[in-house]
């Protein structure tokens, strides 16, 4: 066969078909999307790929829901979540999810339609500068102007999204690039981008300095964040803390990086975290921060945070070092590598007395806060007892998804985590409405696990339309609606800091039973705690989606709490 014959046999395809082939090469199985005019050629190509079951497309009811669903999928599966939307408002509706994914280091790729290249800059119908809008809140944003660039752009997008510190990537796809043709030369396989170093080489000097500080420590404390989950470094973490006998506090996003039952686990850090671990932060002589970013919710007043301690900060992202809290030793690199390197140089240690000193604080919190929250003797239902009852029924094996607010903090505090990648919540951006679509994504990310989604009445109504997605997909989300007829978290702050002036926080709510009926979703309501365990059991036994509404005490407060502007050791157990 001569060269002319070979050239004639080259496959010529549209940019839309090239996108399908590129996504298939990246191992994509599930796509969350919503069609529209500027992305219609892609959806036409997608049709055949869904018919032959190469892809499963989940039709969401709002583009923001697509991004949150992709986040839930990514956080649970460890894969890249994919969204497919149209231009203009379809694209701008995804930006909240893109910003959320950036704050929480979640790998998603958003592919949005765009007007043709010839119409760019003319204010054409549903035209918006998506690349310009997305650049500050994404790892990379790029406009694919030619069909021959599709394979390269998709491979680069997935590489950037999943590598190093993960995050969102946005691809803007003009219509001409979708419909015009190109020769298909196979998928690109990008694993290098000039000037992008996703996996820095750890410094041997820093590792030795970190190990020396740990060996000299009398009161070491490890602060574990989501970086351990993202690096799949769970065993490496265990090896270090067990060898050096180091107690552990976990950030909100790092809660399932260590089993709730591990004896070195001392609870959640931060504003509504465990009393003991927050108080002991101010006594530790060495703090080992692993894959966490010292957010304001963890540190309280930065100027008073752990001034007595030497700080060792392990992070893959150099930008996090010294950003909030100054590090004495910075170990920059993937903690899958840096943790075992440090462990090798750490001595076997025994810190029994130091670890035992957490007990007095823990017992004080147990008596004053936890027991009244999870085992109330009388009065209306409390959020803590609802979460605790679900946690006991699922035995720590379920995936927790939360919305944002009081429901989030109660759920994080009282749920149990036996397995990795077991919490999906909006940490950095704090996006109300996150919970329901994220839970949908989680059911696709790991269909073999139970997904329990806790939300308040405010967040539930912010993405209420995604009940349609749940209905259509029969996504088996167990929705626990904790209804207190308030925007509870704001109401708590109004009571504590604004003289009890409850400005626009009371909510007149719909009849959720009728809403569930409209979407053909089984529903129960709990108004009496005597029925709580029975109805939770009914919910968990049901194979598909289920909505359980719990009538919660209106002025239930999440405690303990470090008030804004206070030091972490000024934590209140009760509202004075």
């Amino acid at each position: 066969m001569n060269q002319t014959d070979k050239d004639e046999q080259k496959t010529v395809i549209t940019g839309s078909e090239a996108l399908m082939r590129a996504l298939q090469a990246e191992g994509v199985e599930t796509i969350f999307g919503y069609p529209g005019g500027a992305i219609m050629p892609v959806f036409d190509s997608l049709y055949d790929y869904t018919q032959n079951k190469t892809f499963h497309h989940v039709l969401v009811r709002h583009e923001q829901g697509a991004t949150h669903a992709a986040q839930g999928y990514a956080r649970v599966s460890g894969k890249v979540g994919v969204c497919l939307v149209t231009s203009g408002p379809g694209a701008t509706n995804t930006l909240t999810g893109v910003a959320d994914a950036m704050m929480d280091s979640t790998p998603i790729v958003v592919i949005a339609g765009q007007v043709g290249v010839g119409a760019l800059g003319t204010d054409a119908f549903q035209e918006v500068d998506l690349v310009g809008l997305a650049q500050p809140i994404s790892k990379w944003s790029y406009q694919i102007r030619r069909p021959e660039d599709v394979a390269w752009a998709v491979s680069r997008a997935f590489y950037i999204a999943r590598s190093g510190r993960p995050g969102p990537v946005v691809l803007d796809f003009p219509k001409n690039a979708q419909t015009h043709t190109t020769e298909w030369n196979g998928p690109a396989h990008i694993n290098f981008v000039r000037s992008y170093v996703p996996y820095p080489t750890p410094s041997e000097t820093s590792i030795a300095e970190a190990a020396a500080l740990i060996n000299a420590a009398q009161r070491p404390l490890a602060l574990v964040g989501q970086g351990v989950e993202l690096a799949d470094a769970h065993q490496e973490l265990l090896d270090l803390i067990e060898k050096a006998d180091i107690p552990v506090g976990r950030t909100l996003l790092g809660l399932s990086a260590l089993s709730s039952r591990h004896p070195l686990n001392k609870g959640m850090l931060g504003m509504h975290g465990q009393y003991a671990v927050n108080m002991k932060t101010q006594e530790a002589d060495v703090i080992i921060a692993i894959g966490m970013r010292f957010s304001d919710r963890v540190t309280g007043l930065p100027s008073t945070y752990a001034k007595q301690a030497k700080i060792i900060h392990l992070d893959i992202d150099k930008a996090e070092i010294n950003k909030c809290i100054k590090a004495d030793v910075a170990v920059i690199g993937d903690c899958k590598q840096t943790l075992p390197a440090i462990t090798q140089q750490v001595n076997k240690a025994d810190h029994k007395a130091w670890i035992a000193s957490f007990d007095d604080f823990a017992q004080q919190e147990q008596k004053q806060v936890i027991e009244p929250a999870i085992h109330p003797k009388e009065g209306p239902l409390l959020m803590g007892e609802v979460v605790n009852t679900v946690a006991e029924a699922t035995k720590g094996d379920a995936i927790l998804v939360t919305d944002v607010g009081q429901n989030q903090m109660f759920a994080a505090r009282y749920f149990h985590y036996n397995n990795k990648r077991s919490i999906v919540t909006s940490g950095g951006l704090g996006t109300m409405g996150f919970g329901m679509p994220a839970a949908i994504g989680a059911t696709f990310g790991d269909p073999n696990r139970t997904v329990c989604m806790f939300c308040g009445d405010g967040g539930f109504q912010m993405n209420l339309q995604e009940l349609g997605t749940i209905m259509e997909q029969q996504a088996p989300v167990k929705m626990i609606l904790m209804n207190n007829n308030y925007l509870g978290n704001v109401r708590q702050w109004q009571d504590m800091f604004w003289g009890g002036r409850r400005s626009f926080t009371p909510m007149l709510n719909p009849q959720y039973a009728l809403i569930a009926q409209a979407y053909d979703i089984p529903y129960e309501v709990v108004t009496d705690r005597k029925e709580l365990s029975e109805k939770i059991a009914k919910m968990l036994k049901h194979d598909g989606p289920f909505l359980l509404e719990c009538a919660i005490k209106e002025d239930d407060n999440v405690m303990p709490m470090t008030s804004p502007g206070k030091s972490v050791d000024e934590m209140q157990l009760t509202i004075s």
Side-chain angles (χ1 to χ4, degrees), residues 259-517:
S259 168
S260 301
R261 298 177 180 178
H262 196 284
L264 290 172
N265 169 28
K266 298 302 175 183
M268 184 172 74
L269 299 162
M271 178 176 280
H272 292 294
Q274 261 65 43
Y275 188 50
V277 73
N278 281 289
M279 298 296 285
K280 301 304 278 189
T281 294
Q282 301 297 75
E283 296 181 25
D285 59 1
V286 172
I287 287 177
I288 310 103
I290 308 168
M292 54 88 72
R293 57 189 181 86
F294 287 112
S295 80
D296 59 300
R297 285 300 195 259
V298 164
T299 64
L301 186 64
S303 61
T304 64
Y305 182 78
K307 305 306 291 184
Q308 79 294 335
K310 296 290 186 181
I311 306 292
I312 303 168
H313 195 171
L314 283 68
D315 207 287
I316 199 167
D317 187 357
K318 187 177 180 180
E320 290 300 334
I321 305 300
N322 299 326
K323 186 173 80 175
C324 300
I325 299 296
K326 187 180 184 305
D328 294 280
V329 176
V331 182
I332 302 169
D334 187 342
C335 62
K336 186 81 171 176
Q337 291 180 288
T338 58
L339 281 171
I342 292 171
T343 302
Q344 188 174 16
Q345 298 185 37
V346 160
N347 300 329
K348 182 76 173 173
D350 182 340
H351 296 113
K352 287 181 182 176
W354 163 239
I355 293 169
S357 71
F358 284 68
D359 292 348
D360 287 344
F361 290 110
Q363 289 166 8
Q364 193 177 350
E365 182 184 7
Q366 184 73 29
K367 180 179 179 181
Q368 294 187 40
V369 180
I370 297 175
E371 276 301 311
I374 67 175
H375 296 133
K377 300 284 193 294
E378 57 187 6
L381 280 173
L382 302 181
M383 289 192 189
E385 70 175 313
V386 173
V387 173
N388 183 66
T389 307
V390 174
E392 289 182 344
T394 54
K395 298 179 172 56
D397 292 328
I399 294 169
L400 169 68
V401 182
T402 82
D403 208 84
V404 168
Q406 287 183 318
N407 67 88
Q408 178 186 33
M409 293 296 99
F410 274 112
R413 281 179 56 82
Y414 297 123
F415 213 70
H416 306 154
Y417 313 92
N418 292 342
N419 306 301
K420 63 183 181 181
R421 294 188 176 274
S422 291
I423 180 168
V424 180
T425 191
S426 175
L429 199 63
T431 305
M432 287 181 68
F434 174 89
M436 192 184 301
I440 294 169
T443 65
F444 286 98
D446 193 340
N448 296 317
R449 296 180 66 189
T450 300
V451 175
C452 294
M453 191 276 292
F454 290 87
C455 61
D457 40 323
F460 187 82
Q461 292 179 77
M462 278 201 172
N463 268 318
L464 180 67
Q465 74 283 343
E466 296 308 329
L467 288 172
T469 308
I470 291 175
M471 173 182 67
E472 183 171 343
Q473 299 294 327
Q474 281 300 291
V477 180
K478 311 308 180 189
M479 296 169 277
I480 302 98
L481 168 58
M482 299 199 283
N483 184 3
N484 58 7
N485 297 298
Y486 269 95
L487 297 175
N489 208 52
V490 183
R491 190 273 312 151
Q492 179 172 335
W493 282 47
Q494 287 173 337
D495 286 356
M496 293 179 70
F497 311 122
W498 294 93
R501 289 161 56 87
R502 298 180 177 181
S503 177
F504 299 99
T505 46
M507 295 193 73
L508 178 62
N509 285 322
Q511 295 183 49
Y512 293 109
L514 297 181
I515 291 174
Q517 182 181 353

Side-chain angles (χ1 to χ4, degrees), residues 61 68 81 99 104 141 147 195 277 329 338 349 358 533:
R61 299 309 191 256
H68 295 328
D104 286 350
S141 60
S195 79
V277 73
V329 176
T338 58
F358 284 68
S533 294

Side-chain angles (χ1 to χ4, degrees), residues 63-72 83 93-98 108 110:
E63 292 90 352
Q64 182 182 343
T67 55
H68 295 328
Q71 287 176 273
C83 307
N93 281 343
T94 68
L95 292 178
T96 296
V98 172
I108 65 172
V110 175

Side-chain angles (χ1 to χ4, degrees), residues 132-177:
L133 288 168
Q135 275 181 339
I137 55 171
S138 62
K139 281 189 77 176
W140 186 51
S141 60
Y142 180 77
Q143 189 173 79
I144 309 172
R145 293 190 166 209
R146 308 182 308 164
E148 50 264 46
D149 294 334
V150 170
W152 170 86
V154 169
S155 182
R156 182 182 172 112
F158 275 76
Y159 171 63
I160 291 173
R162 68 163 66 98
S163 61
R165 180 179 182 175
V169 170
V170 175
L171 294 178
D172 194 34
F173 199 10
K175 203 166 184 179
N176 64 285

